[in-house]
Amino acid sequence: MEGNLLRGKDVVETMENIVTEEASSVVEPFIGMEFESEEAAKSFYDSYAKSTGFVMRVDAFRRSMRDGTVVWRKLVCNKEGFRRSRPRRSESRKPRAITREGCKALIVVKKDKSGKWIVTKFVKEHNHPLLSLLANARRSSHISQSPDEKDAKIRELSTELSRERKRCAALQQQLDMVLNVMEEHANHLSVNINNVIQSVKEIESITFTKSLIS
């Protein structure tokens, strides 16, 4: 028991170190930062958002008056702005969850004459809690501290899988029985049809013979 607790503590410390290293290795945007293309800027800010703990949203853009291509782009936090309030259709319907909180975090990139995209504005601070990598790490370590619960879950899933397999086998057996009955019925029907055809041919033959005699 004590050994498991010590191992769990080691796991927590290791995960905390990993989170600290990941946080320190995140490259932060800065004014003047250059990218080869708009897509490269989007990819960078999206990776930065995931590492920091928020979701990026592609926002406003401006086009060139000369050729209509995009030359200015704003990338924001997905909690930027506020959702427009609309009258509820029914009092019984639950109000929608608040997903926008007026967050100001963003970067603005502008296409330079050289063709590169330059960061011209960067707002770092968010007005809402960010997703905690450390909380996820501790949650994962908590799971690793409970092998008995994990084994119990595996046994439960294995039992459920075995039950479903037996149920499928029973259904397959019933389906085979139905198909066999249908096949026998089809064969019996085919025999009856052949008998009818043969009887009609015999009647036609007898009728034809009588017509020749008369």
Side-chain angles (χ1 to χ4, degrees):
M1 184 64 148
E2 183 179 356
N4 288 336
L5 292 175
L6 290 175
R7 285 196 295 272
K9 183 179 180 181
D10 292 339
V11 170
V12 171
E13 291 178 353
T14 301
M15 296 303 292
E16 288 178 348
N17 292 334
I18 292 173
V19 170
T20 303
E21 291 175 2
E22 288 183 352
S24 62
S25 65
V26 173
V27 178
E28 190 172 276
F30 57 88
I31 295 176
M33 193 175 192
E34 296 183 353
F35 299 96
E36 294 298 325
S37 65
E38 180 190 1
E39 289 303 319
K42 290 179 183 177
S43 178
F44 166 79
Y45 196 58
D46 185 51
S47 298
Y48 169 76
K50 291 176 180 177
S51 301
T52 307
F54 69 98
V55 178
M56 180 199 78
R57 189 175 82 242
V58 179
D59 198 58
F61 65 91
R62 296 174 187 167
R63 294 185 181 274
S64 168
M65 297 292 292
R66 183 176 56 188
D67 56 13
T69 58
V70 177
V71 294
W72 184 95
R73 174 71 72 177
K74 182 165 71 170
L75 307 173
V76 301
C77 171
N78 73 323
K79 293 184 181 294
E80 180 269 348
F82 295 95
R83 186 178 299 279
R84 184 180 301 173
S85 60
R86 298 178 180 178
R88 293 169 62 182
R89 297 179 180 178
S90 173
E91 292 297 329
S92 61
R93 295 182 63 179
K94 295 182 179 180
R96 297 178 64 179
I98 298 175
T99 56
R100 297 193 182 185
E101 302 177 15
C103 183
K104 301 294 184 182
L106 60 83
I107 67 168
V108 173
V109 288
K110 181 179 180 180
K111 189 175 183 181
D112 192 44
K113 293 181 179 179
S114 64
K116 292 187 177 181
W117 287 73
I118 314 296
V119 176
T120 60
K121 185 176 181 180
F122 170 50
V123 178
K124 177 181 178 180
E125 300 302 326
H126 296 257
N127 68 343
H128 57 89
L130 299 178
L131 300 177
S132 174
L133 295 176
L134 181 58
N136 292 335
R138 285 178 172 168
R139 192 180 304 115
S140 298
S141 66
H142 176 71
I143 294 174
S144 66
Q145 293 179 38
S146 308
D148 293 339
E149 293 181 5
K150 186 187 297 184
D151 292 341
K153 187 65 175 178
I154 291 175
R155 287 194 297 271
E156 179 183 347
L157 292 175
S158 298
T159 302
E160 184 68 21
L161 178 61
S162 177
R163 188 182 301 115
E164 288 300 319
R165 284 178 175 172
K166 291 180 180 179
R167 180 170 170 269
C168 289
L171 291 174
Q172 183 65 46
Q173 186 177 5
Q174 293 179 9
L175 179 61
D176 291 340
M177 292 175 60
V178 171
L179 291 176
N180 289 334
V181 171
M182 291 177 63
E183 185 177 0
E184 292 177 359
H185 180 71
N187 291 335
H188 181 69
L189 185 62
S190 177
V191 170
N192 289 340
I193 292 174
N194 289 333
N195 291 337
V196 170
I197 294 174
Q198 186 64 32
S199 298
V200 170
K201 287 182 178 180
E202 291 177 357
I203 293 172
E204 289 178 346
S205 177
I206 294 172
T207 304
F208 179 73
T209 303
K210 288 183 177 180
S211 64
L212 290 177
I213 294 175
S214 60

